[in-house]
Amino acid sequence: MTEPVLHVDGLTTELAGNPRPVRVCDGVGFRIRPGETLALLGESGCGKSMTALSLMRLLPLGARILSGSVRLGGVDLLRLQEREMRPMRGGRMAMIFQEPQTSLNPVLSIGAQVAEAVRVHTELARDRIPDRIVELLRAVGIPDPERRADEYPHQLSGGMKQRVMIAMALAGDPRLLIADEPTTALDVTIQAQVLQLLKGLQRDRGLAVLLITHDLGVVAETADRLAVMYAGQIVEEADCASFFAAPAHPYSRMLLQSLPTAAQRASRLAIIPGRVPALDQPFTGCRFAPRCFMAQDRCRHEIPDWQDAGDGRRVRCLFWADGTPGIAGAKGADATLTQPAGAHADEVLLDVQGLRVHFPIQKGLLKRTVGHVKAVDGVDLRLQPGRTLALVGESGCGKTTVGKGILHLEQPTGGRVRYAGVDLATIGGRRLRRFRKDLQIIFQDPFASMNPRMLVGDIVGEGLQALGLAQDRAERRRRVADLLEQVGIGEAAMDRYPHEFSGGQRQRICIARALAVDPKVIVCDEPTSALDVSVQAQILNLLKQLQDQLGIAYLFITHDISVVSYLAHEVAVMYLGRIVEQGPAAAVLDDPRHPYTKALLSAVPVIDPGSRRSIIRIDGNMPSPANPPAGCHFHPRCPQAVPACQRDDPPLRTLDDGRIVRCPF
């Protein structure tokens, strides 16, 4: 059998904490062979990224590796002096970080940053370095690499920046590549390109890859084996096919059951109660026992060791101690059926027609307007009570601006937004104020949307006071307490600050704030994009429950197709400021008609091999909304484009099943 490139055994890492140190990695061990991808997955706070930083010995101040070994090609990295470790980083092992924008130097050109990596890790002559830069940029699929080498990070798209990071990682010809959430901030189309690139590079160079992610679809389509991490320990290790067929550990099973799918539309998603335990405490039993639906008394007092689960799998669970695979057939959390939201086919709550939001481009000392960024360019939408319309598309297509334009958080430059018989696009100031209570928004980043100096009770009750709905403080506090109980946070949260809560809890607080004024319409702007799959399930259950009880209409802005399939009744696909396809969720997701919709859905990673589509590659990046192409906006990237697409702007066509499509084909 081939010797492993990386052999990690008993890795234990601590962070300095007050009053006790935090053991972020506790006896972690795994192996990766040449040409193999091992995925490390789990919730936020379980220790995935700290494991990667421990391997690279890039730990923050106050952190230290207590014990274990990290052998890379026979060399124990933990025994090297720092001067010996430096050539290993970027040389024999390299790392791609989660956010390329913060990893690249904004004041250095792309070529200069790649050149730095080449100089440090190779002995090329100075005159050959420019050729090597171009070679690396071309290897990672960057078009026109000679020109791109002279550009700066802000001139590149997110996908291009991530490709530059990969080029820098390859400069030293490493044997091991560590990819820490390399596609989290990318659209599904760009994500598919980056993952295909990594697969190709791995195949051509025989790279061993450690992929850190919480996206189970990415794991299923990319990895050979996986290791599930929980509370600083690996609790299950298996090949991907065996894992997705029958996960062995209760935590693994509950993660899978938390994934939203169309088949679960009429039921509640399984949730994992509680949260990852604090790692500054000694554990006397199974670390997952307080959240486990199968826990028994011995689970709380007996520390589980590794057990053989068959098919080359191993699992850290007491239920396998006697060789009894009872866990594989066990049921997960309660999936109580909910009442489906009532259909209101004849009632239109919010009618958006021809909405345009253009931003002026100004130049010169006198700030003359020389053009416009057409962020939203003629969008029609209809929202009905108790129903969800999902708005999907790549970053930069104008989804968020549509939501802000409807709510007048961005001033519309054209079109109509009719609510309760009034065109909101034509009014402002005090006249618009009386409609604010009915139209609310939940922002993507809950922490950034709350004042960190205000108590949660004041944050949730601010709208009640501002709109004059509860001027009396006692009445306002009673209302806020009821809201916090309704969203599952509890009255005790009123006297705490936002930083004292987890990401999922903060998003629940933002939902409570939106509900405080009894809205009829809520714009949900990527409310689950930053959440783990387990926390996401809690938020989706809450949103669906509130919709069923209160008849709220949601405009759900997202790029997560699995969330759309579970929550949405209708889907509108947006590209460069326009709707290109819209219709019932099942029809659009199962049988897309527009070429862009087909490409978008084909790029979504899925767990079930039978559900995977052949990826439709769309070349290039989305054009600038300041200078959109003539004719069909999608024709420069469309695999079906004909010469007429460059001339004629296709009108919206209504198909037999009721959906509308902006395409002559």
Side-chain angles (χ1 to χ4, degrees):
M1 184 177 289
T2 310
E3 285 296 314
V5 172
L6 181 70
H7 185 178
V8 181
D9 186 32
L11 178 64
T12 302
T13 303
E14 278 189 353
L15 296 176
N18 187 16
R20 296 181 297 272
V22 179
R23 186 160 291 190
V24 290
C25 302
D26 193 359
V28 171
F30 53 83
R31 302 180 183 186
I32 312 178
R33 302 189 183 280
E36 182 180 55
T37 298
L38 174 70
L40 191 60
L41 63 93
E43 294 174 280
S44 296
C46 68
K48 304 188 302 295
S49 293
M50 290 306 300
T51 298
L53 294 175
S54 297
L55 302 182
M56 297 287 290
R57 287 180 52 184
L58 291 174
L59 293 169
L61 291 175
R64 57 177 182 152
I65 298 174
L66 297 182
S67 61
S69 65
V70 178
R71 302 188 70 84
L72 180 64
V75 178
D76 190 347
L77 302 181
L78 302 187
R79 296 185 179 276
L80 298 181
Q81 298 293 326
E82 178 58 26
R83 58 182 176 79
E84 299 172 309
M85 187 64 198
R86 284 173 190 160
M88 303 293 285
R89 300 190 196 102
R92 299 182 67 181
M93 62 191 303
M95 187 167 179
I96 306 168
F97 294 93
Q98 179 173 352
E99 181 48 71
Q101 180 64 47
T102 57
S103 302
L104 294 171
N105 191 325
V107 299
L108 292 179
S109 69
I110 295 303
Q113 297 186 61
V114 177
E116 183 179 13
V118 172
R119 282 194 298 270
V120 170
H121 298 295
T122 69
E123 297 180 355
L124 280 179
R126 183 184 294 270
D127 59 344
R128 293 189 56 194
I129 290 179
D131 293 336
R132 178 60 174 162
I133 294 169
V134 172
E135 179 186 338
L136 287 167
L137 294 178
R138 184 175 286 116
V140 297
I142 292 182
D144 195 4
E146 293 86 356
R147 179 176 62 85
R148 292 290 191 181
D150 294 327
E151 293 184 346
Y152 290 84
H154 73 273
Q155 296 175 277
L156 304 183
S157 66
M160 285 294 182
K161 284 196 277 277
Q162 195 61 284
R163 287 170 184 264
V164 171
M165 291 297 299
I166 296 172
M168 294 170 64
L170 295 176
D173 197 19
R175 296 184 61 193
L176 171 69
L177 186 63
I178 301 172
D180 186 6
E181 301 273 13
T183 61
T184 296
L186 305 179
D187 297 307
V188 289
T189 50
I190 308 301
Q191 172 181 268
Q193 294 175 17
V194 171
L195 293 176
Q196 286 291 326
L197 170 63
L198 288 175
K199 282 184 180 179
L201 292 170
Q202 183 180 34
R203 182 180 60 250
D204 297 341
R205 297 169 178 249
L207 279 172
V209 176
L210 175 61
L211 175 66
I212 297 172
T213 184
H214 64 260
D215 191 323
L216 291 167
V218 169
V219 172
E221 292 199 356
T222 307
D224 302 298
R225 293 187 304 115
L226 59 83
V228 181
M229 198 165 187
Y230 183 79
Q233 285 187 332
I234 292 177
V235 297
E236 181 172 358
E237 191 172 345
D239 67 85
C240 284
S242 300
F243 176 84
F244 288 111
H249 196 280
Y251 176 59
S252 307
R253 187 168 185 81
M254 294 177 79
L255 278 179
L256 280 177
Q257 291 180 337
S258 297
L259 290 175
T261 64
Q264 296 171 295
R265 284 182 61 88
S267 64
R268 291 173 61 84
L269 295 172
I271 63 171
I272 306 176
R275 55 193 298 185
V276 178
L279 301 181
D280 62 351
Q281 59 180 312
F283 291 95
T284 58
C286 174
R287 301 182 181 199
F288 187 60
R291 308 175 71 191
C292 182
F293 61 93
M294 293 190 66
Q296 298 179 2
D297 286 341
R298 65 175 184 146
C299 298
R300 297 177 176 86
H301 306 293
E302 186 178 342
I303 296 177
D305 201 354
W306 282 113
Q307 307 294 333
D308 182 7
D311 298 325
R313 292 188 292 173
R314 58 179 190 155
V315 58
R316 198 186 293 270
C317 179
L318 295 175
F319 284 95
W320 290 84
D322 302 324
T324 306
I327 188 68
K331 292 185 179 180
D334 180 29
T336 307
L337 291 176
T338 60
Q339 295 298 319
H344 300 264
D346 299 328
E347 183 181 354
V348 177
L349 193 59
L350 187 71
D351 189 11
V352 180
Q353 297 180 4
L355 179 67
R356 295 192 300 278
V357 182
H358 296 177
F359 299 102
I361 302 173
Q362 297 176 328
K363 287 187 176 180
L365 185 63
L366 300 178
K367 300 294 183 182
R368 292 183 300 109
T369 299
V370 296
H372 288 86
V373 175
K374 300 177 181 179
V376 179
D377 197 23
V379 165
D380 298 340
L381 298 172
R382 298 174 67 179
L383 293 180
Q384 296 173 294
R387 294 179 68 82
T388 299
L389 170 63
L391 190 59
V392 302
E394 293 175 282
S395 294
C397 70
K399 305 187 300 295
T400 296
T401 309
V402 167
K404 290 183 176 181
I406 290 172
L407 300 180
H408 266 234
L409 300 179
E410 296 286 0
Q411 184 65 35
T413 52
R416 297 194 301 175
V417 181
R418 297 191 64 82
Y419 175 75
V422 177
D423 184 1
L424 303 182
T426 61
I427 65 174
R430 293 185 178 180
R431 289 190 62 198
L432 181 63
R433 188 180 181 85
R434 69 186 181 94
F435 294 102
R436 289 291 187 196
K437 69 175 293 295
D438 291 343
L439 306 169
Q440 290 291 303
I441 186 169
I442 302 170
F443 292 99
Q444 178 174 356
D445 186 341
F447 192 61
S449 64
M450 292 188 284
N451 189 329
R453 295 182 177 87
M454 290 177 65
L455 294 170
V456 165
D458 295 329
I459 291 172
V460 175
E462 189 175 18
L464 294 170
Q465 183 178 11
L467 297 176
L469 302 178
Q471 293 288 358
D472 180 71
R473 180 172 176 78
E475 178 188 353
R476 193 161 59 247
R477 286 187 65 85
R478 283 195 300 271
R479 171 68 173 149
V480 170
D482 291 342
L483 286 164
L484 292 174
E485 291 290 347
Q486 188 176 15
V487 299
I489 293 294
E491 182 179 353
M494 293 178 64
D495 298 317
R496 296 165 64 189
Y497 289 93
H499 73 271
E500 299 180 67
F501 297 89
S502 67
Q505 290 173 320
R506 284 196 286 261
Q507 196 60 285
R508 287 170 179 263
I509 293 169
C510 288
I511 293 172
R513 178 175 59 182
L515 292 173
V517 293
D518 295 323
K520 301 296 188 295
V521 176
I522 298 181
V523 176
C524 304
D525 186 10
E526 301 269 16
T528 62
S529 64
L531 306 179
D532 294 311
V533 63
S534 56
V535 181
Q536 173 183 267
Q538 297 174 21
I539 298 300
L540 293 178
N541 282 344
L542 175 61
L543 290 174
K544 184 166 251 189
Q545 175 187 344
L546 293 171
Q547 186 175 62
D548 294 343
Q549 293 174 349
L550 306 175
I552 300 171
Y554 295 136
L555 176 62
F556 202 92
I557 298 168
T558 184
H559 64 261
D560 191 329
I561 302 302
S562 63
V563 171
V564 173
S565 65
Y566 172 73
L567 192 66
H569 300 89
E570 291 185 88
V571 177
V573 182
M574 195 168 180
Y575 184 81
L576 205 62
R578 297 179 175 182
I579 302 296
V580 297
E581 183 167 358
Q582 183 176 348
V588 174
L589 299 181
D590 295 341
D591 183 26
R593 297 298 181 87
H594 194 279
Y596 176 63
T597 311
K598 293 178 181 179
L600 196 67
L601 296 180
S602 74
V604 177
V606 295
I607 291 175
D608 181 11
S611 302
R612 292 174 190 163
R613 297 179 169 100
S614 297
I615 295 180
I616 301 172
R617 296 291 299 271
I618 51 176
D619 298 325
N621 298 306
M622 187 184 298
S624 169
N627 186 26
C632 173
H633 285 1
F634 186 58
H635 84 260
R637 306 173 69 192
C638 181
Q640 298 178 224
V642 296
C645 298
Q646 302 178 31
R647 302 189 308 268
D648 305 323
D649 187 9
L652 286 169
R653 299 168 179 264
T654 303
L655 306 186
D656 294 338
D657 59 3
R659 85 174 92 182
I660 56 174
V661 182
R662 191 186 293 273
C663 182
F665 299 109

